[in-house]
């Protein structure tokens, strides 16, 4: 009986993988990966059979139960099975369901942490999620719910934290902005959209809660986070200043 490693692949760039992840990939017999995992990361496991079990909204996806069964089957046939997940496996990655299925089948599981998108984005922004006197708490939230689940009262949690990071939310920016305002956040609270954090095609769109729907309209189809909080005030002010200067320059040129 083999062992299954639930491995965090980080936010996308190969050199943000942990050394432990790279070493496991180098000796993996099979690698199950989701859609957010980069080819360069997969290239670290040249000998392994690669199985895409991707899950991206609106695209081809594999039912979780089927993934669980494939993991169990693979562990019964191979010594080293790697289940690669974007970011950190223990955040919005359905890791618990896979751990339960494997443990239930008597298969050993080990989790290898990864850099979650929130940390990739924070590094890219040069803005700490916490700051003395401004932010002492961070909430990682998602408005996404599974099929048949009741809508979740995610906005209540947003009210309780100084800085809020929303995963799987950028495609419903209008509902997010409405939810945040209904929960009592000021519409003028600074917000930033970060698409493809840490990747070469990274994009940063500073705005406010009220400006989220318009800003989200400029996003491509890469994964994106919404970050909200006073810690982003300078970033948003700087972006406004640049936009005003641009407009001034265009007006002067016209
Ligand atoms: N376990 C992952 C999150 C999986 S949920 C982690 O820890 O990062 C998938 C969501 O993560 C996407 O919808 C998006 O909101 C976010 N995400 C993943 N990679 C990202 C990246 N490189 N840049 C911005 N957001 C990203």
């Amino acid at each position: 009986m083999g062992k299954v490693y639930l491995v965090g692949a980080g936010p996308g760039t190969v050199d943000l993988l942990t050394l432990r992840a790279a070493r496991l990939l180098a000796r993996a017999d099979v690698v199950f990966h989701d859609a957010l995992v980069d080819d360069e990361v997969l290239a670290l496991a040249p000998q392994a059979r690669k199985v895409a079990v991707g899950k991206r909204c609106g695209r081809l996806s594999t039912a979780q139960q089927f993934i669980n069964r494939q993991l169990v089957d693979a562990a019964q046939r191979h010594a080293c099975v790697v289940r690669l997940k974007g970011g950190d496996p223990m955040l919005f990655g359905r890791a618990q369901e896979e751990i339960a299925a494997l443990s239930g089948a008597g298969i050993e599981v080990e989790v290898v942490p990864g850099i979650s998108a929130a940390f990739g984005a924070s590094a890219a922004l040069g803005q700490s999620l916490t700051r003395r006197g401004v932010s002492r708490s961070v909430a990682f939230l998602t408005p996404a719910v599974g099929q048949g689940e009741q809508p979740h009262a995610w906005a209540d949690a947003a009210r309780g934290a100084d800085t809020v990071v929303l995963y799987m939310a950028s495609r419903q920016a209008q509902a997010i902005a409405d939810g945040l305002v209904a929960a009592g956040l000021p519409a003028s609270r600074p917000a930033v959209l970060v698409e493809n954090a840490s990747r070469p095609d990274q994009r940063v769109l500073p705005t406010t809660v009220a400006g989220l729907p318009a800003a989200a309209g400029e996003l491509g189809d890469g994964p994106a986070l919404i970050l909200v909080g006073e810690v982003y005030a300078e970033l948003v002010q700087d972006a406004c200043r640049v936009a005003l200067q641009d407009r001034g320059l265009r007006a002067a040129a016209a």
Side-chain angles (χ1 to χ4, degrees):
M1 202 82 121
K3 183 167 171 180
V4 176
Y5 298 85
L6 300 190
V7 177
T13 315
V14 65
D15 58 356
L16 286 180
L17 218 62
T18 64
L19 213 47
R20 190 178 295 180
R23 285 178 180 149
L24 280 169
L25 284 171
R27 66 182 184 83
D29 300 304
V30 196
V31 176
F32 291 90
H33 61 92
D34 55 37
L36 294 176
V37 174
D38 197 81
D39 286 346
E40 269 190 273
V41 173
L42 295 179
L44 296 176
Q47 77 299 339
R49 184 164 68 88
K50 282 129 197 131
V51 186
V53 286
K55 270 197 285 214
R56 281 302 305 279
C57 24
R59 301 202 192 147
L60 193 68
S61 71
T62 314
Q64 188 62 47
Q65 277 184 344
F66 184 63
I67 298 177
N68 297 350
R69 205 163 51 229
Q70 278 184 300
L71 288 174
V72 170
D73 282 353
Q76 284 164 345
R77 263 180 264 152
H78 301 280
C80 182
V81 178
V82 168
R83 169 71 172 110
L84 257 187
K85 289 170 172 289
D88 185 275
M90 304 305 240
L91 191 66
F92 304 131
R94 303 189 73 172
Q96 212 62 55
E97 291 157 68
E98 294 177 12
I99 292 170
L102 290 161
S103 305
I107 293 158
E108 205 185 336
V109 191
E110 185 178 319
V111 180
V112 178
I115 296 177
S116 190
F119 302 111
S122 298
L125 294 172
Q127 298 291 332
S128 175
L129 290 162
T130 56
R131 200 189 298 181
R132 276 177 176 264
V134 181
S135 170
R136 297 190 160 275
S137 58
V138 186
F140 300 115
L141 298 181
T142 185
V145 288
Q147 255 179 358
E149 265 186 279
Q150 290 293 313
H152 183 254
W154 58 269
D156 293 341
R159 197 178 36 202
D162 296 322
T163 305
V164 179
V165 186
L166 289 136
Y167 287 71
M168 295 179 271
S170 61
R171 280 172 185 84
Q172 34 178 315
Q174 184 69 59
I176 298 297
D178 293 346
L180 292 174
V181 171
L185 267 72
S188 58
R189 176 75 48 90
V192 197
L193 284 157
V194 182
E195 182 179 24
N196 292 317
S198 88
R199 299 176 186 184
D201 48 357
Q202 170 180 290
R203 286 187 71 201
V204 172
L205 300 166
T207 179
T208 58
V209 167
L212 276 171
E218 291 178 42
L219 290 173
D221 62 359
L225 287 178
I226 299 177
L227 303 105
V228 181
E230 288 301 334
V231 291
Y232 305 112
E234 287 100 349
L235 197 81
V236 172
Q237 274 158 18
D238 287 350
C240 286
R241 208 169 300 130
V242 170
L244 284 174
Q245 271 167 4
D246 280 357
R247 211 180 297 160
L249 286 175
R250 274 204 304 271

